[in-house]
Every structure is written in structure tokens, then in C-alpha cells.
Amino acid sequence: MKKNFILGFFLCLIVLASIQLSKSTLIENALTDEFFSSNTILRIEEINNTNFTEINTSLEKQQEMKELLKGQKLSIMEKSFDPLKAEYRIVSTSNPNDQIYIFVEENVIVFPHKSSRGYSIKNNDELIREVDFLLK
């Protein structure tokens, strides 16, 4: 009886740990490796309602943005976000499914081809503001 209780307790811990781990991911799991390649050009657009205005950024700034994003841990949020209410959209020109919508005030990113659920950046509250600064 005591062995069954201990075994059950450990199984519960394992299940709870896996649930918590499934609520977080790396940004590389939401985008392809191609997105982070130095050869990939990004199309960066500012969103104003339904108007998308392309922002001309140098290849150096694009690479700097990729480096900022790479390796970031994300926490999945329960809340959904309307991509058209984001401030920016970043699209890989080599793979249009690699898209990021950035919500500056909310400090959230959305990958619309995956889900409309938002992702907050774990342990880096300034990342979205740094991306915003790069784009201005």
C-alpha cells in the first residue's frame, strides 16, 4: 500500500512537470532554422489597422534582430491575440510561414501560422522593447 502511494505520488509529479514544460518553448521551435540563417532576408512591416507599411532595415539590423530573438524562452499564454492589432509583423522572405507578430505594449509575440495564442518572453521583459527600438 505504501509503495503504491509513493509510486502514485511520483507519477503525479512527473505529469505536473510535463504539463509545466509543455507551457514553455524556445522561439526556435516556433520558427524554422531558415528564419535565423544569415542568408534569410526579413520583411518587417508596421501594422496600422489593416494597413501594413514596410520598414526598410539594413541587413545588419535584421541580423541583430535575429540574434536578439534566437534562444529566447517563451511561455505560452492562455489569451489569444488578434494579429491585426499588433504593432509589427516580421516575415521570412524565404518561408512566408515564418511570421512573428509583435505586440509591444503587451510584451507578447504571436506566431499566427501556429496559433493566435500569445507567447510572453521568459526572463527577458526588455526583449520586445529592444526589437521596437531597432525598428525605429
Side-chain angles (χ1 to χ4, degrees), residues 27-129:
I27 199 166
E28 287 89 351
N29 295 336
L31 300 167
T32 63
D33 292 337
E34 189 175 28
F35 182 90
F36 295 100
S37 167
S38 60
N39 298 327
T40 298
I41 295 174
L42 301 177
R43 189 176 70 241
I44 302 169
E45 301 165 326
E46 189 170 20
I47 304 171
N48 186 5
N49 295 321
T50 57
N51 297 322
F52 292 75
T53 307
E54 189 165 352
I55 299 171
N56 293 320
T57 55
S58 67
L59 294 176
E60 292 82 22
K61 276 193 175 187
Q62 290 181 27
Q63 194 59 37
E64 194 175 335
M65 184 168 317
K66 292 175 198 176
E67 291 302 317
L68 274 174
L69 294 170
K70 195 171 189 177
Q72 293 297 322
K73 294 179 184 174
L74 306 174
S75 293
I76 299 170
M77 303 173 75
E78 295 301 319
K79 183 177 177 185
S80 292
F81 292 83
D82 179 358
L84 292 178
K85 294 194 177 174
E87 280 80 18
Y88 302 105
R89 175 171 75 165
I90 302 172
V91 181
S92 166
T93 56
S94 56
N95 183 352
N97 286 328
D98 273 345
Q99 294 186 21
I100 301 174
Y101 283 72
I102 299 176
F103 296 79
V104 176
E105 291 303 314
E106 295 86 348
N107 201 30
V108 167
I109 59 178
V110 170
F111 307 100
H113 286 282
K114 302 249 180 240
S115 166
S116 62
R117 282 210 222 108
Y119 292 81
S120 63
I121 311 298
K122 270 186 150 179
N123 304 321
N124 190 347
D125 294 338
E126 293 301 314
L127 176 78
I128 298 296
R129 301 215 189 296

